[in-house]
Every structure is written in structure tokens, then in C-alpha cells.
Amino acid sequence: MQITTEAGADTGAMGGGASRDAEFTEWLAVRQPALLRTAYLLAGDRHAAEDLLQTSLAKLYLSWDRVRDREAVDAYARRIMVNENTSLWRRPWRRREHVSDDVPEPPPWTDRYDDGSDGVLWELVQSLPRRARAVVVLRYYEQLTEAETAEVLGISVGTVKSQCSRALATLRARVPAAIDPTIQEDER
């Protein structure tokens, strides 16, 4: 009789796991492309973005049962990505130089919604410091409010405002004349 009870308990646990897997898989099928774009904008490299997203999704899956508010899963996933991206560049092995005789030049990867005209702009965004880049990506690409951005990054709303203001000033100073909207076509 105890064996049946234990087997029944195991079956119930597996049933809950299957439900959890199905729920996570369904959410992932819908959100993965957007999360990959966000990871790319944070990491600045397609391969690093894929690694960042994979690690973040693994952490999210492990804590899936603890996420009580299913409406906040996207914010929780973005928070994990920002934290993981910060942790990655702080690791000492990332600071070492790797000598190579030839530098591989991979073909440029663009988002499927990008017609190529915004490539220069995203190169400028990639030149920003990591925290400023995270603020710009979350505020303008993910279209989060200042409060939501502050919550995702774990900083105050005032810090978001100041980081955003400095980042935009830096971008304005660095923008090439070819894409500057304030310069008339005949002045270029």
C-alpha cells in the first residue's frame, strides 16, 4: 500500500512537471524572438547573445514555479538577462587577451525587422557603457517606462533618467551627418 501511495505521489509530481514544461514551452515559443533581440542589443554580438539568452532561460526555467505573477515573466526574464550580462563581463577570463594570427570577419547579422538603415545607429548604441546601453535598450527598444526600467535594473528612477539623458547626449554628439535628422539633405 505504501508503494502505491509513493507511486501515486510520483505520478502527481510528474504531472505537475509536465504542466510546468508545457507552460514554459508555450511562453518560450511566443517570446523567444523578442528576447533574442534584447540579448543581442545587450551583448552586441550574435553568439554572445545566444549564450546570454540560453543561460538566462535556463535560470528562468529553474525558478519557473516561483514566478507567481505570470504577467511579470517578461520583466523577470529581462532582469535575468541584464544581471547575467553584467556578471559575464565582470569575470576575469573575459579580460584576458587571446592572440590569433587571423581575425575572423563574420557576416553582419541584422534583425529581420531591420532593413539595414539602422545599423549605424545600433553601432553607436554598442559604443555606450554597459549600464547606459541597458537603459537605452530597455527604454527605447523594449519601450519600458522609466519605473519599469528602474525595476528591471534594480536602480532608482532618477538614475534611469540621468543615465538615459547622458546616453542620449553621447549618441547625439557621435551621430554621423549621414543619419543626423537635424541636418538638412542639402547640407550633407
Side-chain angles (χ1 to χ4, degrees):
M1 199 167 249
Q2 290 178 347
I3 295 171
T4 307
T5 305
E6 289 176 14
D10 288 343
T11 304
M14 285 193 294
S19 169
R20 169 184 148 174
D21 289 350
E23 187 179 353
F24 183 80
T25 303
E26 180 182 331
W27 174 83
L28 184 59
V30 173
R31 297 300 301 153
Q32 188 172 5
L35 291 172
L36 180 59
R37 287 190 298 271
T38 301
Y40 174 74
L41 294 172
L42 289 171
D45 173 63
R46 181 177 182 173
H47 300 292
E50 289 171 350
D51 291 343
L52 174 64
L53 181 60
Q54 182 177 1
T55 303
S56 300
L57 290 174
K59 288 183 177 188
L60 177 62
Y61 178 77
L62 292 174
S63 61
W64 187 256
D65 292 333
R66 289 182 280 174
V67 180
R68 288 186 174 84
D69 183 10
R70 291 297 186 215
E71 298 297 320
V73 173
D74 288 354
Y76 190 66
R78 283 191 299 266
R79 176 62 183 220
I80 291 171
M81 279 196 299
V82 169
N83 288 346
E84 187 62 26
N85 189 44
T86 302
S87 294
L88 284 174
W89 64 264
R90 285 184 178 165
R91 294 185 182 147
W93 61 266
R94 295 270 301 179
R95 295 186 197 134
R96 294 187 195 131
E97 291 183 22
H98 300 283
V99 180
S100 175
D101 289 339
D102 57 308
V103 178
E105 289 293 329
W109 178 71
T110 57
D111 192 352
R112 65 181 163 173
Y113 300 111
D114 185 5
D115 63 359
S117 62
D118 295 335
V120 176
L121 176 62
W122 285 113
E123 286 178 23
L124 289 172
V125 172
Q126 293 300 323
S127 71
L128 293 172
R130 289 190 182 271
R131 177 170 277 179
R133 184 183 331 150
V135 169
V136 169
V137 167
L138 294 175
R139 281 284 292 130
Y140 297 104
Y141 186 78
E142 287 292 323
Q143 298 179 354
L144 299 181
T145 65
E146 290 169 342
E148 291 169 333
T149 303
E151 184 179 333
V152 168
L153 295 174
I155 57 178
S156 70
V157 174
T159 302
V160 169
K161 290 178 181 181
S162 65
Q163 287 282 328
C164 194
S165 174
R166 282 188 218 122
L168 291 177
T170 301
L171 290 174
R172 283 186 194 108
R174 293 180 183 170
V175 69
I179 64 168
D180 191 344
T182 61
I183 299 177
Q184 297 296 328
E185 194 68 34
D186 56 336
E187 294 175 16
R188 292 183 188 167

